[in-house]
C-alpha cells in the first residue's frame, strides 16, 4: 500500500501557497485520471480481443465439420491457447489490483448465473460450528437457528466430488444473539474450485502438458462441465497467490555457494500479428546432494522475452559463488569482478564428439568419447562422498586422465583440417580448459551441468505439446509453476499433492513465514496424503 503525503496545516499558509497547493493537487488528479483512462482502454482492448477470439474459434469449429483439414486443427489449437493465456492474465491482474478486483465483481454480476454442480457427483458434508459454546454476550445456551450451505467442486485423484460446507447458525436462548462460524478461506475468493482441483489443473497444464481446452474436454467426459475460461481464471488467480512462494524459492536458490544455470527457447505468440517470437526460459538449480550435503535441492525458473545478456545479470544480481553453465557469452559480464566464478561443463565438451561419431563413426570422436567416459566412471564411484574425499580422488585419478586428454587434443589438432567439425570441437574444449579443471580442485563442484539440463526436460516436452506460450505473461506464469513443480520432484514429492497442500493453506498463511510452505517443509504432510505417485 502506498503511503499518502501529509497535508500541510492550511491555517499557516498564505494566499500564494494555497494557490500553489490547489494547482498541484489538480495536476495530480488529472494525472491519475489519465492513468485510469489508459488502464480502462487497455482492459477494453483485451476484453475485445477475448471476444473476437471466441467468435473466431466458434467459426473455425463450424468449418471443421466440413472438409477435414490438419492446418485448421492446428489453427484452432493455437487460438485456444492464446485465449487461455489472455483470460489467465486477466484473472491474475484482477487478483493483484483492488481497482480491477472491484471491476471484476461488477463483471461477475453481469455474467450468467453459475451452473449448479453436477448432481451425480458424490457429496461430502462438512459441518462448521462456531468456536463459542455459549453466547458471547450473556453466556446463555445456544440453540440451532438455521444453516448456510455452500458447495465446492473438489478433485481427488481419479475422481471428482462435491464438498458441502454447512455453517450452522446458533441462537442464544436467553438474549437471541446469533452465532455462526466464519466461512473457511478459499484459494480463490468466491471460487468454486477446491485446492485439490486447482492443483490438478496446474499440474495437468504445466507437468502433464495438457492445455486447458483439452482438460475441459476430458472433464466433460466425466460429466463435469468446466469452461476453459473458468479454468484460465483459476490459473491466473493461483499464479498471483503463489508469487510470494516463488520469490522465497528464488532466495533459497540464490543463497547457495554453487548454482547450475541453463536456458532454452520457447515460442511465444507475438501480440497483434498471430505469429510467434522466441522467448527464453532460464533455469537455476541448487543441488548439493552429490557431495552429501543435506540442504534441500531446488530449481527456480525465469522467463524473458529474449536472450540478451542483461537477463542473467539481473537474475544473478544477489548470487555470490560458482556458476556452472555453458559458454554463452551473456554470462561474461556476470563473471567480471570475480563475485561469480565460471565453471565449465564436460557434457558440453562431449556433445559435439558424440554428434560426430553418430554421423560419421569418426575414430577421433570415438577415442574422445572413451577418454571422457573414464572420467564419468570415477564420478559415479564418488557420488555422495564428502567434498574433501571427492577432491582428493579427482586429483589422484581424474587429473592425470584430463592432462592426457589435453595432450591428445593438442597432438590431434596438427593432423586435422583447420575447418573440420572435429577441429572446432577440440578447440572449444581447449578454449575452456581452465574453467573445466576447476571441478578437480573443489569437491563441491560437478563435472558437468546436467543438473540444469535435467530441469529443462519437462519444458521441452511442454514445448512440443503446447506449440508456444500464449503471451509473455503466460511465459512468466509457466516459469513460476515449473519452479514449484520441479522443486517438489527434486525433493521426492508428488507435485500435485504438494500444490494441493500449499493451496489449502496459503490464503491464510502469514506472508513473513512463507518459507514454511516450501516443498521440504511440507514433506511430512504431503507424504501423508493418499495420492498417486509422482511421474
Amino acid at each position: 500500500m502506498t503511503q499518502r503525503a501529509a497535508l500541510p496545516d492550511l491555517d499557516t499558509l498564505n494566499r500564494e501557497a494555497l494557490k500553489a497547493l490547489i494547482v498541484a493537487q489538480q495536476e495530480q488528479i488529472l494525472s491519475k485520471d489519465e492513468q485510469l483512462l489508459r488502464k480502462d482502454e487497455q482492459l477494453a482492448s483485451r476484453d475485445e480481443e477475448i471476444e473476437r477470439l471466441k467468435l473466431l474459434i466458434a467459426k473455425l469449429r463450424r468449418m471443421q465439420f466440413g472438409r477435414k483439414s490438419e492446418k485448421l486443427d492446428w489453427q484452432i489449437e493455437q487460438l485456444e491457447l492464446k485465449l487461455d493465456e489472455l483470460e489467465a492474465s486477466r484473472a491474475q491482474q484482477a487478483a493483484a489490483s483492488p481497482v480491477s478486483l472491484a471491476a471484476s465483481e461488477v463483471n461477475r454480476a453481469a455474467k450468467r448465473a453459475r451452473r449448479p454442480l453436477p448432481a451425480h457427483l458424490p457429496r461430502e458434508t462438512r459441518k462448521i460450528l462456531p468456536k463459542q459454546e455459549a453466547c458471547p454476550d450473556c453466556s446463555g445456551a445456544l440453540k440451532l437457528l438455521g444453516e448456510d450451505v455452500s458447495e465446492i467442486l473438489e478433485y481427488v485423484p481419479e475422481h471428482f466430488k462435491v464438498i458441502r460446507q454447512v455453517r450452522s447458525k446458533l441462537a442464544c436462548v436467553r438474549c437471541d444473539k446469533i452465532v455462526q462460524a466464519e466461512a473457511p478461506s478459499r484459494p480463490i475468493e468466491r471460487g468454486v474450485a477446491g485446492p485439490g482441483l486447482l492443483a490438478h489443473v496446474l499440474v495437468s497444464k504445466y507437468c502433464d502438458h495438457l492445455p486447458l481446452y483439452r482438460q475441459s474436454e476430458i472433464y466433460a467426459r466425466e460429466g463435469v462441465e468446466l469452461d476453459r475460461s473458468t479454468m484460465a481464471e483459476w490459473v491466473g488467480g493461483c499464479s498471483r497467490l503463489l508469487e510470494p512462494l516463488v520469490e522465497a524459492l528464488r532466495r533459497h536458490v540464490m543463497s547457495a555457494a554453487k548454482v547450475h544455470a541453463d536456458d532454452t527457447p520457447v515460442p511465444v505468440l507475438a501480440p497483434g500479428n498471430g505469429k510467434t517470437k522466441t522467448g527464453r526460459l532460464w533455469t537455476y538449480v541448487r543441488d548439493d546432494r552429490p557431495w552429501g550435503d543435506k540442504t534441500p535441492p531446488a530449481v527456480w525458473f525465469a522467463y524473458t522475452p529474449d536472450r540478451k545478456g542483461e537477463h542473467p545479470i539481473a537474475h544473478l544480481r544477489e548470487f555470490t559463488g560458482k556458476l556452472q553453465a555453458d559458454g554463452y557469452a551473456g554470462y561474461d559480464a556476470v563473471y567480471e569482478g570475480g563475485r561469480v566464478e565460471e565453471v565449465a561443463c564436460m557434457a558440453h565438451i562431449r556433445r559435439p564428439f558424440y554428434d560426430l561419431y553418430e554421423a560419421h563413426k569418426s575414430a577421433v570422436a570415438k577415442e574422445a568419447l572413451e577418454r571422457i567416459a573414464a572420467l564419468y566412471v570415477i564420478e559415479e564411484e564418488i557420488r555422495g562422498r564428502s567434498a574433501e574425499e571427492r577432491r582428493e580422488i579427482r586429483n589422484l585419478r581424474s587429473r592425470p586422465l584430463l592432462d592426457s586428454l589435453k595432450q591428445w587434443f593438442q597432438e590431434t589438432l596438427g593432423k586435422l583440417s583447420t575447418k573440420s567439425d572435429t577441429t572446432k570441437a577440440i578447440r572449444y574444449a581447449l578454449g575452456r580448459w581452465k574453467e573445466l579443471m576447476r571441478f578437480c580442485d573443489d569437491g563441491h563442484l560437478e563435472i558437468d551441468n546436467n543438473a540444469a539440463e535435467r530441469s529443462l526436460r519437462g519444458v521441452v516436452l511442454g514445448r512440443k505439446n503446447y506449440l508456444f506460450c500464449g503471451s509473455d505473461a503466460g511465459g512468466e506464469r509457466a516459469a513460476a509453476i515449473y519452479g514449484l513443480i520441479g522443486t517438489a520432484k527434486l525433493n521426492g514429492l508428488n507435485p500435485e499433492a504438494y500444490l494441493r497442500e500449499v493451496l489449502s493453506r496459503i490464503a491464510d498463511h502469514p506472508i513473513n513465514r512463507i518459507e514454511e510452505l516450501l516443498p521440504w517443509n511440507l514433506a511430512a504432510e504431503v507424504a501423508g496424503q493418499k495420492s498417486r505417485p509422482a511421474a
Side-chain angles (χ1 to χ4, degrees):
M1 183 178 292
T2 57
Q3 188 175 3
R4 296 179 182 274
L7 189 68
D9 187 353
L10 301 181
D11 293 332
T12 64
L13 300 180
N14 58 31
R15 182 176 180 182
E16 293 303 320
L18 284 170
K19 284 183 177 180
L21 179 63
I22 293 171
V23 170
Q25 293 287 341
Q26 181 67 15
E27 289 177 350
Q28 289 182 11
I29 292 172
L30 290 174
S31 176
K32 290 289 185 184
D33 288 344
E34 290 176 359
Q35 292 177 14
L36 290 173
L37 182 60
R38 287 197 296 271
K39 195 72 172 180
D40 289 343
E41 289 174 350
Q42 291 174 0
L43 293 174
S45 175
R46 183 178 59 194
D47 290 345
E48 289 174 1
E49 177 70 0
I50 288 173
E51 294 305 316
R52 186 187 71 81
L53 285 173
K54 287 180 178 178
L55 289 173
L56 183 56
I57 289 170
K59 178 181 177 181
L60 290 173
R61 287 204 179 282
R62 288 194 297 270
M63 294 169 60
Q64 201 176 19
F65 293 101
R67 186 176 178 180
K68 191 68 175 176
S69 167
E70 291 184 3
K71 183 178 180 180
L72 187 59
D73 292 340
W74 180 84
Q75 187 177 1
I76 291 173
E77 288 179 349
Q78 296 217 356
L79 291 173
E80 291 273 18
L81 182 56
K82 181 180 179 183
L83 196 55
D84 288 352
E85 298 291 356
L86 283 173
E87 293 182 322
S89 296
R90 180 168 62 182
Q92 185 172 1
Q93 187 174 3
S97 170
V99 175
S100 299
L101 187 60
S104 70
E105 292 300 321
V106 175
N107 293 336
R108 188 188 301 276
K111 288 182 179 179
R112 56 184 170 80
R114 178 186 288 166
R115 290 191 297 266
L117 296 177
H120 70 275
L121 295 180
R123 254 68 177 173
E124 175 184 314
T125 299
R126 297 180 181 177
K127 288 277 188 177
I128 304 168
L129 297 173
K131 296 179 180 179
Q132 301 91 338
E133 296 181 356
C135 177
D137 288 353
C138 69
S139 300
L142 298 174
K143 65 179 181 179
L144 183 63
L145 179 66
E147 293 176 333
D148 286 338
V149 179
S150 61
E151 291 189 333
I152 294 176
L153 181 64
E154 184 58 293
Y155 181 88
V156 293
E158 308 301 345
H159 71 275
F160 288 94
K161 69 177 180 181
V162 175
I163 296 175
R164 303 182 73 244
Q165 295 181 336
V166 180
R167 296 188 296 130
S168 299
K169 292 181 180 179
L170 305 179
C172 178
V173 297
R174 188 181 303 172
C175 68
D176 292 333
K177 168 78 174 182
I178 297 176
V179 178
Q180 186 180 34
E182 292 185 3
S185 297
R186 303 188 183 194
I188 297 177
E189 188 176 0
R190 300 188 184 183
V192 71
L197 177 56
L198 294 174
H200 183 68
V201 169
L202 290 175
V203 170
S204 295
K205 178 176 171 67
Y206 294 108
C207 185
D208 300 329
H209 320 300
L210 286 173
L212 298 180
Y213 70 90
R214 292 182 184 170
Q215 292 189 51
S216 180
E217 295 169 355
I218 292 170
Y219 302 147
R221 293 199 296 268
E222 299 184 38
V224 179
E225 298 290 337
L226 289 178
D227 292 337
R228 184 214 62 259
S229 59
T230 299
M231 289 189 288
E233 291 179 2
W234 294 348
V235 171
C238 287
S239 298
R240 172 64 180 171
L241 195 62
L242 293 169
E243 284 176 3
L245 186 59
V246 175
E247 172 59 19
L249 185 63
R250 184 196 69 81
R251 292 195 300 267
H252 175 78
V253 171
M254 293 303 166
S255 66
K258 178 206 69 178
V259 165
H260 296 267
D262 203 354
D263 67 286
T264 191
V266 284
V268 181
L269 194 66
N273 58 16
K275 298 180 180 180
T276 58
K277 60 180 183 178
T278 301
R280 308 296 296 195
L281 271 175
W282 306 77
T283 181
Y284 298 92
V285 179
R286 175 179 187 171
D287 190 353
D288 293 322
R289 292 174 297 176
W291 57 273
D293 188 66
K294 302 299 183 183
T295 304
V299 54
W300 175 67
F301 283 87
Y303 167 82
T304 60
D306 51 52
R307 205 195 185 199
K308 293 179 180 177
E310 64 194 42
H311 301 307
I313 293 174
H315 299 158
L316 296 161
R317 63 188 181 277
E318 299 173 10
F319 174 69
T320 299
K322 297 182 179 180
L323 181 69
Q324 196 144 22
D326 59 23
Y328 169 51
Y331 293 120
D332 291 347
V334 175
Y335 302 134
E336 292 177 1
R339 177 176 58 86
V340 178
E341 186 176 26
E342 179 182 7
V343 182
C345 169
M346 180 61 79
H348 280 85
I349 290 174
R350 178 185 181 277
R351 192 163 297 141
F353 292 107
Y354 176 82
D355 293 338
L356 285 167
Y357 182 75
E358 287 294 304
H360 309 297
K361 303 301 179 186
S362 162
V364 173
K366 181 181 180 181
E367 183 168 351
L369 291 174
E370 290 173 347
R371 286 172 175 265
I372 293 172
L375 293 166
Y376 274 91
V377 170
I378 299 171
E379 289 302 304
E380 187 64 29
E381 292 177 8
I382 64 176
R383 184 168 301 276
R385 299 194 190 183
S386 70
E388 183 58 29
E389 284 184 280
R390 282 154 58 97
R391 187 189 67 80
E392 290 178 358
I393 293 173
R394 284 169 175 171
N395 276 305
L396 180 65
R397 298 173 58 189
S398 299
R399 187 177 289 275
L401 294 178
L402 285 162
D403 291 341
S404 175
L405 177 61
K406 181 181 180 182
Q407 183 179 355
W408 178 75
F409 275 156
Q410 292 170 335
E411 293 172 353
T412 304
L413 271 180
K415 306 174 184 177
L416 300 173
S417 166
T418 57
K419 296 183 179 180
S420 72
D421 290 334
T422 306
T423 298
K424 292 178 183 178
I426 293 176
R427 283 180 174 167
Y428 174 80
L430 293 175
R432 302 184 58 76
W433 203 260
K434 177 183 175 182
E435 293 78 12
L436 178 67
M437 292 295 294
R438 285 181 176 142
F439 86 101
C440 284
D441 298 320
D442 188 344
H444 301 92
L445 301 177
E446 295 304 302
I447 190 174
D448 56 35
N449 196 35
N450 285 350
E453 296 195 4
R454 284 193 297 269
S455 71
L456 290 173
R457 288 176 182 171
V459 176
V460 174
L461 286 174
R463 187 170 60 205
K464 290 179 180 178
N465 282 6
Y466 272 58
L467 307 178
F468 58 80
C469 287
S471 65
D472 287 335
E476 292 169 1
R477 279 192 297 274
I481 306 302
Y482 278 141
L484 293 174
I485 288 174
T487 301
K489 288 183 174 182
L490 283 175
N491 286 272
L493 302 181
N494 180 332
E496 185 172 329
Y498 166 65
L499 286 176
R500 183 189 310 131
E501 187 70 22
V502 168
L503 291 169
S504 69
R505 298 182 180 209
I506 195 168
D508 295 321
H509 197 82
I511 189 69
N512 60 345
R513 289 165 38 205
I514 194 66
E515 289 82 4
E516 295 175 0
L517 300 184
L518 289 168
W520 50 90
N521 292 326
L522 291 181
E525 291 85 344
V526 173
Q529 293 187 31
K530 186 179 180 181
S531 55
R532 57 175 179 257

